[in-house]
Amino acid sequence: MEDPVVPHIAVIPTPGMGHLIPLVEFARRLVLRHNFYVTFLIPTDGSSVTPQISFLKTLPTSINHVFLPPVSFDDLPDDVRIETRISLSITRSLPALRDSLQELTESTRLVALVADLFGTDAFDVAKEFGIPPYIFFPTTAMVLSFLFHLPELDRRFSCEYRDLPEPVKLPGCVPVQGRDLVDPMHYRKDEAYKWMLHHAKRYKTASGIIVNSFMDIESGAFKALKESQRDYPPVYSVGPLTRSCSTIGDEGSECLRWLDHQPSGSVLFVSFGSGGTLSQSQLTELAFGLEMSGQRFLWVVKSPHEKAANASFFKRTNGVGLVVPSWAPQVQVLGHGSTGGFLTHCGWNSTLETIVHGVPIIAWPLFAEQKMNAVLLADDLKAAVKVNTDGGLVSREEIAKTVKSLIEGEEGKRLRNKMKELSGAAALALTQNGSSTLSFAEVAQIWENMKP
C-alpha cells in the first residue's frame, strides 16, 4: 500500500529504449535518494514491448508502469519520419493519459508530470488536473538552447537550414553549421519539422526542464540558459544519468572473454547504436579500413554481418578483430581495460557512457541530434576526432589513418587524457555536493513542497 504522504511523479516517455533508459535512471535516483513514488505511463503503437517489460521488471517496487492502449498509425505514409511518429504516439494517447492521471490523482499524492522532449502535448492534460508539467531532456544543453531559438530562426530564414549563410551562434556554445543541426531542420516542408517547431514553442510553458548533461562539459550553455530564466523555464543539469551495466547474455560473454585476452587499451570498439545503419558500400570501406589500420577491434554489425566483409576478411583479421551481430554489452565493453577507443554514432546515451569510462572517441554521427553532439565533442570539448561524412563515402584509407592515430598516435594520447579529465568531472558532478546532485535535489525539493 502506497503511503499517501509520499510525493508521486508521473512520467510519460516516448517510444523506444533509447528514451526510456535515461528516464528510468532518473526515476531510480528519485525513489532511492529522495523517497518518491514514480509511475511510467508508456504510449504504445502495437509493436513489441517485450524489451521494455524486461527492463522495467528490474526496477525498485516504488517504480510502477502502465502501458497505454496501442494507437494506430495506419493513416500515416510508410516513409513518415520518426519525429512525427513519436509526437503522434503522445498526441493520440492523450485520452488514455487523462484516465491514468485521473486515477493517480485520486489514489496518490501526484505532484508533477515529467514528459520526454517530444511530449509537450501532454502538458494540457497535466494542467487540467493542476499538475505542473516538466520536461526531461535526454540530450545536451546545446540542443535545448537551439530549440529555444528555433522559433526565431524559423521567422528569420526561409531557406533550408543546411543552406544558412553563416553558422548558428547559440549563447555559450560553439558555432554550429546549418548542415550539423538536428535532422528535421533539413526538411522544412516535412511534418517532422513542423512538430519540432511545435514542441519548441511549447517548451516555454514547462514548469522546468531537467537535462541529462552536466555543468563541466556544457558550462557556457547552462550559464546562458540560467541567465535567460526570465524568458525560459528553470533548467536543471542532473547528468550523467547512465546505466551501470548492460545485460550480458551469451554473445556478451563472448565479447568480454575476447577482450580479456587483449592488451590494455589496444581495442577499438565499433558500434553505431540500436538504430544506426550504414550503406553496404560504406560497410565494406569500414571493414577494409579497420583491417588496414592494423589495430585490434570489436565491431558490432547488424545481421547478417557477413555482408559487411566476406569470409576472407574474417580469416585475415582472425585474432585481431571480433565481429559480433547486432549487439554487445556496451557498458561493460567501455569499462574494460582492453578498450582503447570507441567509434560511435554519438547518440547521447552512448556519449555519456563513454565519458563516464574515459574512452576517447571517433565521432561518426548518423541522424537525429548526433551531428550536434559531435560538434560539442570535437570542436568545443576537443575530446573526439570527427569523421568527415560531408563528402558521402568515407574511404578505407581515411578510416585506417583515423583509427591508427587514435589507438597508437599522439592525437590518441591527447584525447585519452582529455577524456580522463571529463570522466573525473562526471564523477565529481554526481558526488554528494556535486553540481548535478545539488541540481537534482533542488527539483526534488520543489516537488516535495508541492501542496496536494
Side-chain angles (χ1 to χ4, degrees):
M1 185 78 179
E2 180 174 324
D3 186 342
V5 177
V6 175
H8 198 118
I9 303 296
V11 178
I12 180 162
T14 47
M17 287 296 292
H19 287 247
L20 184 61
I21 287 169
L23 267 169
V24 161
E25 293 305 319
F26 172 76
R28 195 196 303 272
R29 297 187 189 201
L30 197 57
V31 303
L32 294 179
R33 299 185 183 182
H34 299 280
N35 193 34
F36 275 68
Y37 287 108
V38 175
T39 296
F40 280 86
L41 304 173
I42 306 172
T44 59
D45 59 5
S47 56
S48 173
V49 295
T50 302
Q52 289 95 319
I53 291 174
S54 300
F55 182 47
L56 292 164
K57 279 183 176 177
T58 66
L59 301 180
T61 55
S62 298
I63 302 176
N64 300 310
H65 64 272
V66 175
F67 285 97
L68 302 179
V71 298
S72 174
F73 293 136
D74 291 345
D75 58 316
L76 300 181
D78 293 339
D79 61 350
V80 65
R81 294 185 64 82
I82 187 65
E83 295 85 3
T84 298
R85 190 180 176 97
I86 288 175
S87 298
L88 287 173
S89 73
I90 300 289
T91 304
R92 295 181 179 185
S93 295
L94 291 182
L97 174 64
R98 183 177 288 107
D99 292 342
S100 293
L101 289 180
Q102 176 76 51
E103 186 175 334
L104 285 172
T105 55
E106 292 173 353
S107 59
T108 73
R109 185 189 158 204
L110 190 63
V111 296
L113 173 76
V114 177
D116 202 350
L117 75 165
F118 293 108
T120 64
D121 281 353
F123 289 6
D124 298 330
V125 180
K127 289 174 180 177
E128 289 176 23
F129 294 96
I131 303 166
Y134 285 73
I135 294 171
F136 181 87
F137 200 74
T139 185
T140 67
M142 174 193 273
V143 175
L144 176 60
S145 179
F146 169 71
L147 291 177
F148 276 142
H149 286 84
L150 179 57
E152 177 191 350
L153 292 169
D154 180 73
R155 289 190 297 268
R156 284 179 55 197
F157 300 103
S158 58
C159 64
E160 294 290 356
Y161 288 84
R162 59 178 169 269
D163 299 324
L164 288 176
E166 57 185 31
V168 176
K169 296 177 181 177
L170 302 167
C173 304
V174 291
V176 184
Q177 298 290 341
R179 63 178 179 272
D180 291 328
L181 296 173
V182 295
D183 263 8
M185 299 305 102
H186 307 307
Y187 311 95
R188 290 186 71 153
K189 294 181 180 178
D190 193 280
E191 285 298 311
Y193 175 77
K194 297 172 185 175
W195 274 112
M196 292 297 293
L197 186 60
H198 168 78
H199 294 307
K201 290 177 178 178
R202 290 175 64 87
Y203 274 23
K204 290 186 178 183
T205 67
S207 296
I209 301 178
I210 301 152
V211 183
N212 191 18
S213 185
F214 59 103
M215 281 294 295
D216 279 349
I217 59 169
E218 295 196 272
S219 58
F222 277 119
K223 286 174 183 174
L225 289 169
K226 189 171 184 178
E227 289 167 2
S228 303
Q229 281 193 1
R230 284 179 298 181
D231 302 315
Y232 309 133
V235 173
Y236 306 93
S237 58
V238 300
L241 299 176
T242 61
R243 299 172 293 175
S244 57
C245 65
S246 308
T247 306
I248 299 290
D250 292 340
E251 290 177 357
S253 297
E254 179 194 0
C255 293
L256 299 178
R257 282 195 300 269
W258 184 83
L259 283 171
D260 287 341
H261 292 91
Q262 310 309 314
S264 176
S266 68
V267 177
L268 179 73
F269 180 42
V270 183
S271 176
F272 291 95
S274 57
T277 55
L278 300 177
S279 67
Q280 186 57 52
S281 56
Q282 186 61 82
L283 279 171
T284 300
E285 290 301 302
L286 178 54
F288 280 107
L290 291 172
E291 181 184 358
M292 288 170 60
S293 75
Q295 307 304 309
R296 291 174 173 81
F297 61 87
L298 170 57
W299 183 13
V300 181
V301 186
K302 303 299 177 189
S303 295
H305 62 286
E306 288 81 8
K307 287 185 179 179
N310 57 30
S312 64
F313 169 77
F314 292 105
K315 186 175 181 179
R316 293 193 307 271
T317 59
N318 183 38
V320 176
L322 178 66
V323 178
V324 296
S326 300
W327 180 86
Q330 180 165 297
V331 176
Q332 287 90 329
V333 170
L334 290 171
H336 198 285
S338 295
T339 303
F342 187 15
L343 195 164
T344 171
H345 62 309
C346 296
W348 193 239
N349 288 340
S350 292
T351 298
L352 286 179
E353 289 169 2
T354 311
I355 289 171
V356 165
H357 291 288
V359 177
I361 286 175
I362 297 174
W364 191 321
L366 298 177
F367 58 90
E369 91 292 9
Q370 293 165 12
K371 289 183 179 179
M372 290 187 72
N373 297 344
V375 168
L376 173 66
L377 287 166
D379 299 346
D380 188 352
L381 297 173
K382 311 295 185 187
V385 56
K386 192 164 49 173
V387 172
N388 183 6
T389 58
D390 293 338
L393 198 69
V394 183
S395 72
R396 61 189 70 180
E397 292 82 9
E398 182 65 23
I399 293 166
K401 177 183 174 184
T402 304
V403 170
K404 189 168 184 176
S405 173
L406 185 79
I407 300 297
E408 284 190 349
E410 290 302 314
E411 176 71 356
K413 289 179 184 176
R414 185 191 66 77
L415 293 175
R416 198 163 289 109
N417 289 335
K418 181 63 179 180
M419 287 302 283
K420 285 180 180 177
E421 178 187 319
L422 295 179
S423 176
L428 188 62
L430 296 176
T431 58
Q432 184 174 354
N433 292 310
S435 59
S436 291
T437 300
L438 295 176
S439 188
F440 199 118
E442 183 182 355
V443 72
Q445 187 66 50
I446 290 170
W447 291 340
E448 285 173 4
N449 293 338
M450 289 280 185
K451 299 258 167 108

